[in-house]
Amino acid sequence: MKDSMLENLLKTIADITGETDGAFNLRKDGIGVIRHSTENIEIKSKEDKPGIDIIVKPHTKGEKVHIPVVITETGVNDLVYNDFFIGEGAEVDIVAGCGIHNCGSSASEHDGIHTFYISKGAKVTYVEKHYGEGEGTGDRILNPTTIVHMEEGSYCEMEMTQIEGVTSTVRETEANLGKDAKLVVTEKLMTHDKQHATSNITANLNGKNSILQIVSRSVAKNDSTQSFHPIAVGNEKCRAHIQCDSIIMDNAKVASIPEIQANHTDAAIIHEAAIGRINNEQLLKLETFGLDEEQAEAVIVEAFLS
């Protein structure tokens, strides 16, 4: 396996599993490999289907959970259900990531269904990173589903990144916000060659004074296609803002369809969408510093997605 982001993921896993003060669960090629719980965070296998329950005790502070997935074989079709139960007043960071290395001719796929139950006053930071690589002709498919239930005064910040190598992805996200709950979603995506990515987000603001912020940034290269459909539904006095920005290059195609629905007179919801090519003035400015066009494009794309 060449030096790559997937190798870095494996190194990170080795570092994580060498710690004793954090909770983690490693899944490889559809099988749980190693697991560690802490005094305040319990990870246990589900009895009725593949996956785990992550249980965070009330008022837990300053702890992290790592749940990486690695697929290194061709033809693997992995489906997993992970449920997160976050106790009242807890504050926890959760890091999930899936790397697929497919050198064969059959498709390798990971479908992760993550459901969060965030109790009153709890705070969750969730980071999800997806990556694919491999010299084979088999597809590298990632279809994540994320469902979030937020009780009164809870906070959830989600950063979901997919930057390279995934042939096809369909991301489904659903959120239900209670009173005074706040959800912040940041999505970063890059597609190339003939890859396709779809992202659907539905957020129901059911509680008074709930707040939603969605920021999606993407880059589409070559002959790839992307589709975004975020929906904010205001069922109470609430505030929501959706922003989708995309850079389109070569022969790529991007569809951005933000949707807002107000079912209450005090629901304040804003949406914005912009799709465009790289600014020529930016390219010229970077080229004056000695960069060629390809290098200048790479710098702009990296800055846009950071």
Side-chain angles (χ1 to χ4, degrees):
M1 191 184 300
K2 64 183 180 180
D3 184 20
S4 65
M5 189 174 179
L6 185 52
E7 280 191 329
N8 291 334
L9 175 59
L10 291 170
K11 181 179 182 301
T12 300
I13 291 169
D15 292 340
I16 293 168
T17 54
E19 298 177 357
T20 57
D21 59 347
F24 59 79
N25 186 88
L26 167 61
R27 187 176 180 88
K28 182 175 182 290
D29 295 323
I31 300 173
V33 176
I34 189 170
R35 177 181 302 163
H36 177 68
S37 297
T38 69
E39 180 180 352
N40 295 315
I41 301 176
E42 179 185 7
I43 302 177
K44 61 181 183 179
S45 298
K46 288 187 174 297
E47 297 182 356
D48 57 340
K49 52 190 172 184
I52 55 177
D53 290 335
I54 300 95
I55 304 166
V56 180
K57 289 183 179 180
H59 308 294
T60 296
K61 305 288 185 182
E63 294 203 30
K64 293 185 178 182
V65 182
H66 295 265
I67 52 168
V69 173
V70 179
I71 294 179
T72 61
E73 302 291 337
T74 191
V76 173
N77 193 329
D78 185 30
L79 171 63
V80 64
Y81 297 83
N82 296 333
D83 290 348
F84 303 81
F85 301 90
I86 314 300
E88 182 175 342
E91 297 182 7
V92 63
D93 295 338
I94 300 170
V95 181
C98 180
I100 297 180
H101 184 89
N102 190 356
C103 288
S105 58
S106 299
S108 291
E109 179 174 345
H110 174 73
D111 298 340
I113 301 174
H114 290 182
T115 303
F116 292 80
Y117 301 91
I118 306 177
S119 298
K120 182 178 179 179
K123 180 178 179 180
V124 174
T125 300
Y126 176 65
V127 178
E128 180 183 87
K129 296 185 178 181
H130 287 164
Y131 176 76
E133 65 174 23
E135 297 79 13
T137 58
D139 289 342
R140 299 172 294 276
I141 303 170
L142 289 165
N143 295 323
T145 297
T146 307
I147 303 168
V148 186
H149 302 287
M150 303 180 65
E151 294 186 8
E152 180 179 348
S154 61
Y155 175 87
C156 182
E157 183 174 346
M158 309 179 74
E159 180 181 318
M160 299 179 285
T161 303
Q162 179 178 302
I163 60 171
E164 193 172 353
V166 177
T167 309
S168 173
T169 186
V170 178
R171 178 185 298 278
E172 301 286 349
T173 304
E174 176 189 331
N176 300 290
L177 283 68
K179 180 182 177 182
D180 295 319
K182 182 176 181 179
L183 174 64
V184 178
V185 179
T186 302
E187 185 176 57
K188 302 176 184 179
L189 174 70
M190 183 168 69
T191 55
H192 56 89
D193 297 333
K194 295 184 178 181
Q195 297 169 359
H196 176 72
T198 294
S199 178
N200 300 314
I201 302 175
T202 300
N204 300 299
L205 292 94
N206 300 321
K208 186 177 181 179
N209 296 323
S210 54
I211 299 174
L212 169 71
Q213 178 180 314
I214 298 174
V215 177
S216 176
R217 290 199 166 193
S218 73
V219 177
K221 298 181 177 181
N222 308 127
D223 297 305
S224 65
T225 58
Q226 299 179 4
S227 176
F228 300 91
H229 189 190
I231 306 172
V233 182
N235 295 318
E236 247 290 1
K237 179 184 178 182
C238 62
R239 290 186 289 125
H241 184 266
I242 299 174
Q243 179 180 338
C244 300
D245 295 323
S246 299
I247 290 178
I248 187 169
M249 304 169 66
D250 309 312
N251 298 312
K253 297 179 181 179
V254 177
S256 186
I257 315 163
E259 181 178 340
I260 59 177
Q261 180 178 331
N263 299 323
H264 192 281
T265 55
D266 290 324
I269 309 175
I270 300 171
H271 73 75
E272 304 175 60
I275 303 172
R277 58 177 295 172
I278 290 177
N279 189 296
N280 286 333
E281 292 183 2
Q282 291 179 311
L283 285 174
L284 289 172
K285 185 174 181 179
L286 288 172
E287 288 171 3
T288 61
F289 292 105
L291 301 180
D292 60 30
E293 183 175 353
E294 184 176 350
Q295 291 171 327
E297 285 184 349
V299 170
I300 293 170
V301 166
E302 182 177 358
F304 178 74
L305 292 176
S306 63

